[in-house]
Structure formats: structure tokens, C-alpha cells
């Protein structure tokens, strides 16, 4: 669950590529992350459309984020689902390279 | 110029750059829609093959296809192309190709006859040699060994030449 959007003091919504502070509500057992742990994550998919400069509009089917550490490297080793290309410009190169598909 | 138009997944219409909506489903399959009408129908689970104005419907009910089908049949046939190869120049090949069957038969027969004659000649030679030997042996029994040694060589040589 999202607690805060990093970047500005009173930011209302986060979009693809924004880092958020979140708390884990549900965790799969036997993983390094546990329930009610406060973590940082970067949003990679949103149901809200992402508008690109060339007029392309992309809409995903779900909301998804990747858990990262303070530097911006993903804490995990695998990423599921498609990723938006904007992340490459925001220097999340490791996430982009792990992604199965970049759209 | 970057003017690649894409096709709408629902209606089959052309999508120019800057228009349309792209939808990425949970299984990472991408759908392109020309406008919100197509997008709306898709999300409401309507089937394009049931809507008269879509390309899928027209294809299914075979509207306007007769013109395309006629064009497809033409396919270029390979023409036999003759060129010279090592061992036979183009003229030689063409001459051989245009030879009439009678001419060819006559040539074959002539070759056969030649071979037969050759064989006959060698056979005659052999016979003559043998006759000579026999007569010689009768005359001189002591000197029989040496000619005998030479005789086996003779027939063999003749036989080899005739077969070729």
C-alpha cells in the first residue's frame, strides 16, 4: 500500500516512473520481505493511461511496482510483466534489463 | 518519414501516428485501438466479427474479395535457360539437342559396328598367332618353351584392347 509519493511535498498521485514509499500488506512466505515492512518502490504499470510525446497512449491492465533500495536497484532478481520504456530514461536500467518485455 | 500506420485490432482501420490507444493486457499482449469506440466495444466483450462495419466481419462474409482473388493466380514460370559448361560449349549442347533421333541412332550404330569390327580384328589376330605357334611347336619341339612364354602375353593384350 502506498504511503507517500517521493518527489514533492504535496504530490497527489504517482505515475509510471515515480518512486513511492509503501508498506507491505501481504507477503509470500519465505521471502526476504515481510508483512508490515516499509519499503520504497518504483511504479512500472498503471491502469491510468500513460501519454507519450509522440501521441501514443498506453494503458496497462493492472497497477504494479518494483521494490527497490535507496540507490534504485531492484531488491529482487526477477520481474514479471511488461515495463514501460520511460524507466530507461529515468535511470532504472537494471529493472529494464530484467524485464521480459519493454513496451 | 516516420509514417507507419498500424492496424486497429478491433476494426481493422488504419491508425496514424498520434492517434489511437494502446492497451497492454495482463499477459503482455498488446492491443491497438483506433478510437475509444473500438476500445469500448473491446472492453465490453463485443465480437468484431458480428459488427458489420469492422474489417473482420467483411472478411468473414466475403465482401469485396472477388477482385483480390483474381489477381493472385499469376505466378512466373521458370524458363529453361541454357548455358555452356566445362566440356561442352553452348553450340555443342544445342547441336546435340537438335539432333534428330534417326541421326542419333545412325551414330550409335556406327559406333557399335566399329567396336564389333575391332573385337573381330583382335580375335582374328589371336587366332592367327595361335595357329602360328602351333605350327612352330610342331616344327621345333626343343624351342617350344620360349614361344610359349611369349604366347600367353599376346592373347591377353589383344583381349584388353578389344574390350575397350
Amino acid at each position: 500500500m502506498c504511503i507517500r509519493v517521493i518527489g514533492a511535498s504535496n504530490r497527489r498521485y504517482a505515475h509510471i516512473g515515480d518512486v513511492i514509499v509503501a508498506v507491505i500488506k501481504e507477503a509470500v512466505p519465505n521471502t526476504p520481505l515481510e508483512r508490515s515492512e516499509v519499503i520504497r518502490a518504483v511504479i512500472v504499470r498503471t491502469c491510468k493511461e500513460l501519454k507519450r510525446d509522440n501521441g501514443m497512449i498506453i494503458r496497462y491492465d493492472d497497477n504494479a511496482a518494483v521494490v527497490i533500495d535507496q540507490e534504485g536497484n531492484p531488491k529482487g532478481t526477477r520481474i514479471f510483466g511488461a515495463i514501460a520504456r520511460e524507466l530507461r530514461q529515468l535511470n532504472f536500467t537494471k529493472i529494464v534489463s530484467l524485464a521480459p518485455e519493454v513496451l | 518519414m516516420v509514417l507507419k500506420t498500424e492496424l486497429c485490432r478491433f476494426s481493422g482501420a488504419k491508425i496514424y501516428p498520434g492517434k489511437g490507444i494502446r492497451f497492454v493486457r495482463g499477459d503482455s499482449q498488446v492491443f491497438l485501438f483506433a478510437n475509444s469506440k473500438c476500445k469500448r466495444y473491446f472492453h465490453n466483450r463485443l465480437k468484431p466479427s458480428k459488427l458489420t462495419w469492422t474489417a473482420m466481419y467483411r472478411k468473414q462474409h466475403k465482401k469485396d474479395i472477388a477482385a483480390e482473388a483474381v489477381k493472385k493466380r499469376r505466378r512466373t514460370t521458370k524458363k529453361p535457360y541454357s548455358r555452356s559448361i566445362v566440356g561442352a560449349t553452348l553450340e555443342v549442347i544445342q547441336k546435340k539437342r537438335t539432333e534428330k533421333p534417326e541421326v542419333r541412332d545412325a551414330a550409335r550404330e556406327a559406333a557399335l559396328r566399329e567396336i564389333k569390327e575391332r573385337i573381330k580384328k583382335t580375335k582374328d589376330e589371336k587366332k592367327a598367332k595361335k595357329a602360328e605357334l602351333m605350327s612352330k611347336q610342331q616344327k621345333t619341339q626343343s624351342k617350344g618353351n620360349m614361344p610359349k612364354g611369349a604366347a600367353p602375353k599376346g592373347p591377353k593384350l589383344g583381349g584388353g584392347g578389344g574390350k575397350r
Side-chain angles (χ1 to χ4, degrees), chain A:
Chain A
M1 187 188 88
C2 175
I3 301 176
R4 201 105 176 101
V5 179
I6 306 274
S9 59
N10 205 4
R11 193 121 164 236
R12 206 161 264 175
Y13 303 112
H15 297 286
I16 290 184
D18 290 335
V19 178
I20 61 168
V21 178
V23 66
I24 297 179
K25 288 290 198 184
E26 235 181 83
V28 174
N30 304 331
T31 48
L33 295 174
E34 286 161 358
R35 208 188 95 91
S36 73
E37 209 179 291
V38 176
I39 46 128
R40 286 200 173 202
V42 62
I43 295 186
V44 296
R45 288 197 291 277
T46 51
C47 280
K48 179 74 183 154
E49 307 89 30
L50 165 75
K51 288 196 202 172
R52 288 215 176 128
D53 284 345
N54 58 1
M56 200 187 281
I57 300 178
I58 299 187
R59 198 188 96 92
Y60 291 93
D61 211 5
D62 62 343
N63 304 311
V66 172
V67 177
I68 58 172
D69 58 9
Q70 289 286 20
E71 280 92 56
N73 302 323
K75 269 200 186 164
T77 48
R78 285 185 70 188
I79 295 185
F80 302 106
I83 300 278
R85 215 175 291 266
E86 271 68 12
L87 291 174
R88 191 175 284 152
Q89 276 98 39
L90 294 161
N91 292 330
F92 289 109
T93 46
K94 202 134 187 280
I95 296 178
V96 173
S97 65
L98 284 170
E101 200 174 342
V102 181
L103 287 171

